[in-house]
Amino acid sequence: MRMGEGVEWGLHCCLTLAWLDSDQPVPTARLAAWFDLPPAYLTKRLQALVRAGILSSTPGSKGGFRLGRQPEKITLMDVVTAIEGPDDVFRCTEIRQRADGGGAIAREFRQPCGIATAMRKAELAWRRELAGLRVADLLAAAPGGAADRTRRHYARMTG
């Protein structure tokens, strides 16, 4: 399984916005410069987070993004789903029914495919784990001083 880089971008932007905890929106250009990311692509990812209610956006020259909810109310799974979509990672197309030229017996397929069952079980465990972790947990686990460094760096960028 491979997630797109937008998940990492979205999570880091959520952490940064939480550390800044500003009433003023943070422009995409500043976030893009901060992480050395292409602004147009970052905007698409951030807008997906807005549609999911994770971020809020303010249009215009003084616009940008803020957290749309408290960090305690944003799970990692929320961000993954907003960026990657809600679809299952594994999609069983029942190729077993086509095996041997399609001559398999129908009763062999009464039980769910063992591969699909195992993959679903693994995916549910992964989703539960991400749903149990919140942006607030990432903030708490960050190295000491990360929030202060973020605020100082942002002040230099804007000041």
Side-chain angles (χ1 to χ4, degrees), residues 5-6 9 16-18 20 38 44 46 63 72 82 85 91 93 97 100 114 119 132 151-152 154-155:
E5 59 194 0
W9 299 2
T16 299
L17 293 170
L20 294 176
K44 289 180 183 181
L46 297 178
E72 298 80 20
R91 289 168 200 83
T93 61
Q97 293 185 32
D100 195 24
M119 297 300 268
R151 288 185 200 106
R152 282 193 308 272
Y154 187 73

Side-chain angles (χ1 to χ4, degrees), residues 20-97:
L20 294 176
D21 192 26
S22 174
D23 290 335
Q24 300 300 315
V26 177
T28 304
R30 288 215 179 103
L31 289 168
W34 189 295
F35 294 113
D36 192 26
L37 298 171
Y41 289 113
L42 180 60
T43 297
K44 289 180 183 181
R45 300 322 177 268
L46 297 178
Q47 296 207 342
L49 296 175
V50 169
R51 286 189 296 278
I54 296 167
L55 300 181
S56 65
S57 66
T58 304
S61 61
K62 301 221 184 238
F65 295 91
R66 287 185 291 249
L67 285 182
R69 306 183 229 165
Q70 294 299 312
E72 298 80 20
K73 298 195 186 257
I74 303 169
T75 70
L76 275 61
M77 193 68 232
D78 292 337
V79 175
V80 169
T81 301
I83 302 285
E84 295 287 322
D87 295 339
D88 291 342
V89 174
F90 181 80
R91 289 168 200 83
C92 181
T93 61
E94 283 290 341
I95 66 168
R96 66 187 179 143
Q97 293 185 32

